[in-house]
């Protein structure tokens, strides 16, 4: 049972205060969460503008993802530690470390790939489709990711500022979910890297390992990791209603990955590149959530 917030000691003679968010802070939890989200919105607008400028300079659209990942990670850590007064509580420190670990793993992986000159097939496809309009449209695509990051940071803050001293079983479970997700995504990325480094017939499709169960296992595990914050934040007893805001993270990521910048443009690009081989792959393998491949489908 989560203890209700009692606020400041009403006794005028008592020097003690009991803040919900951080030691020696007078800022209410809800206000700190909103402030963190607004700061994230402003910072990410700047970060994604810089990402756009970097793409124009280098010609590689992949830098958009690098800036977004590290920028969101920085804003997420700040949101977890809000309101930035006094020592963070154990839950705040845990959530901040989880966000930092996610950003460092994914951001470094993408940055190394992009620095080697490899451009994501999604951006190559957008360049071909948009032609001369690529630059202004890419700016719009970059900036729209700022409010998405702000929503993610609101979820992170809802988990970090959940009342209660020390760590609970749900904190451990949330951390385990995120660590499993990071490991699964890293494994999917490594399997694809090895496939691309090997020798295959023209038009060959990666359909082994995790890629035999999902056409986009890396996206699935990316989405799975954001479920960690509702697990940490939600209090079904009703003691922390702000915890429901944590559901924004998996909802936003599902929308982005399955409907906007993830699966749809990548599927379109793969069909154009692989043709019938990829169409057969689509027929037997789940697009997102892992499941055994359909039996009897042609390979």
């Amino acid at each position: 049972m989560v203890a209700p917030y009692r606020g400041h000691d009403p006794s005028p003679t008592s020097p003690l205060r009991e803040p919900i968010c951080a030691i020696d802070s007078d800022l209410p939890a809800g206000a700190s969460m909103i402030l963190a989200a607004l700061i994230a919105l402003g910072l990410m607008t700047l970060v994604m503008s810089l990402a756009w400028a970097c793409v124009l300079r280098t010609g590689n659209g992949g830098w958009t993802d690098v800036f977004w990942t590290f920028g969101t990670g920085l804003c997420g850590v700040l949101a977890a530690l809000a309101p930035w007064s006094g020592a963070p509580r154990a839950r705040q420190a845990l959530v901040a470390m989880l966000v930092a670990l996610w950003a460092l793993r994914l951001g470094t992986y993408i940055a190394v790939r992009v620095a080697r000159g490899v451009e994501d097939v999604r951006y190559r496809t957008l360049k071909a489709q948009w032609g001369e309009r690529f630059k202004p449209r890419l700016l719009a695509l970059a900036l729209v990711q700022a409010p998405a990051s702000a929503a993610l940071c609101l979820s992170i803050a809802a988990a970090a500022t959940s009342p209660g001293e020390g760590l609970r079983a749900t904190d451990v479970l949330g951390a385990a979910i995120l660590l499993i997700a990071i490991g699964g995504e890293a494994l999917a990325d490594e399997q694809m890297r090895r496939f691309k480094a090997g020798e295959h017939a023209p038009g060959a499709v990666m359909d082994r390992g995790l890629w035999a169960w999902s056409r986009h296992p890396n996206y699935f595990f990316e989405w799975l990791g954001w479920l960690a914050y509702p697990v940490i934040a939600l209090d079904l007893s009703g003691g922390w209603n702000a915890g429901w805001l944590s559901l924004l993270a998996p909802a936003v990521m599902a929308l982005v990955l399955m409907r906007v910048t993830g699966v749809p443009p990548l599927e379109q690009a793969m069909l154009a590149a692989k043709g019938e081989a990829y169409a057969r792959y689509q027929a037997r393998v789940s697009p997102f959530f892992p499941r055994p491949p359909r039996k009897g489908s042609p390979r």
Side-chain angles (χ1 to χ4, degrees):
M1 181 71 175
V2 178
Y5 172 51
R6 297 190 294 271
H8 301 307
D9 190 329
S11 170
T13 61
S14 173
L16 300 179
R17 298 183 297 178
E18 298 182 10
I20 194 170
C21 295
I23 298 174
D24 269 349
S25 171
D26 290 318
L27 191 62
S32 72
M33 290 168 53
I34 294 173
L35 178 60
L38 291 175
I39 290 175
L41 178 61
L43 283 177
M44 286 305 296
T45 299
L46 175 61
V47 167
M48 297 315 293
S49 298
L50 294 174
W52 179 70
C54 183
V55 172
L56 296 187
R57 182 176 180 83
T58 63
N60 192 325
W63 288 111
T64 305
D65 298 333
V66 176
F67 276 73
W68 181 84
T69 304
F70 283 128
T72 301
L74 173 61
C75 292
V77 170
L78 292 175
L81 299 177
W84 319 292
S85 175
R89 295 183 303 127
R91 186 167 299 108
Q92 288 181 289
L94 173 65
V95 172
M97 287 189 291
L98 293 176
V99 175
L101 181 62
W102 162 79
L104 287 173
R105 204 297 301 182
L106 181 59
T108 302
Y109 169 77
I110 300 174
V112 169
R113 184 181 64 186
V114 174
R116 290 173 177 169
V118 178
E119 184 173 34
D120 193 297
V121 65
R122 295 172 301 151
Y123 293 107
R124 297 200 304 268
T125 302
L126 290 178
K127 285 179 179 179
Q129 290 178 343
W130 291 348
E132 295 180 355
R133 296 174 294 175
F134 176 74
K135 293 179 181 180
R137 286 193 172 187
L138 181 64
L139 177 60
L141 182 64
L143 291 180
V144 78
Q145 296 180 56
S149 294
L152 296 178
C153 289
L154 190 59
S155 300
I156 291 169
T161 57
S162 178
E165 296 301 322
L167 297 178
R168 304 182 295 250
T170 50
D171 298 313
V172 177
L173 178 59
I177 289 173
L178 186 56
L179 292 175
I180 290 172
I182 290 174
E185 187 173 7
L187 177 59
D189 289 337
E190 177 60 18
Q191 288 177 345
M192 179 57 75
R193 186 196 67 78
R194 291 183 179 182
F195 173 79
K196 290 181 177 180
E199 295 183 0
H200 307 282
V205 175
M206 170 57 168
D207 59 357
R208 298 292 185 269
L210 295 174
W211 300 84
W213 289 63
S214 169
R215 300 202 298 270
H216 305 281
N218 50 343
Y219 286 165
F220 166 75
F221 282 110
E222 174 65 23
W223 170 80
L224 179 67
W226 292 96
L227 286 178
Y229 303 106
V231 169
I232 294 173
L234 289 178
D235 176 14
L236 300 182
S237 71
W240 178 237
N241 290 330
W244 292 101
L245 291 172
S246 63
L247 292 173
L248 279 171
V252 167
M253 291 307 297
L255 176 64
V256 169
L257 293 174
M258 290 193 281
R259 293 288 183 261
V260 186
T261 64
V263 172
L266 186 53
E267 292 269 293
Q268 182 181 7
M270 294 304 294
L271 274 173
K274 306 287 186 177
E276 184 61 28
Y278 197 79
R280 293 194 298 269
Y281 180 59
Q282 288 178 314
R284 68 178 183 270
V285 177
S286 169
F288 192 80
F289 294 101
R291 62 162 176 76
R294 292 187 180 95
K295 295 181 179 180
S297 299
R299 298 185 67 86

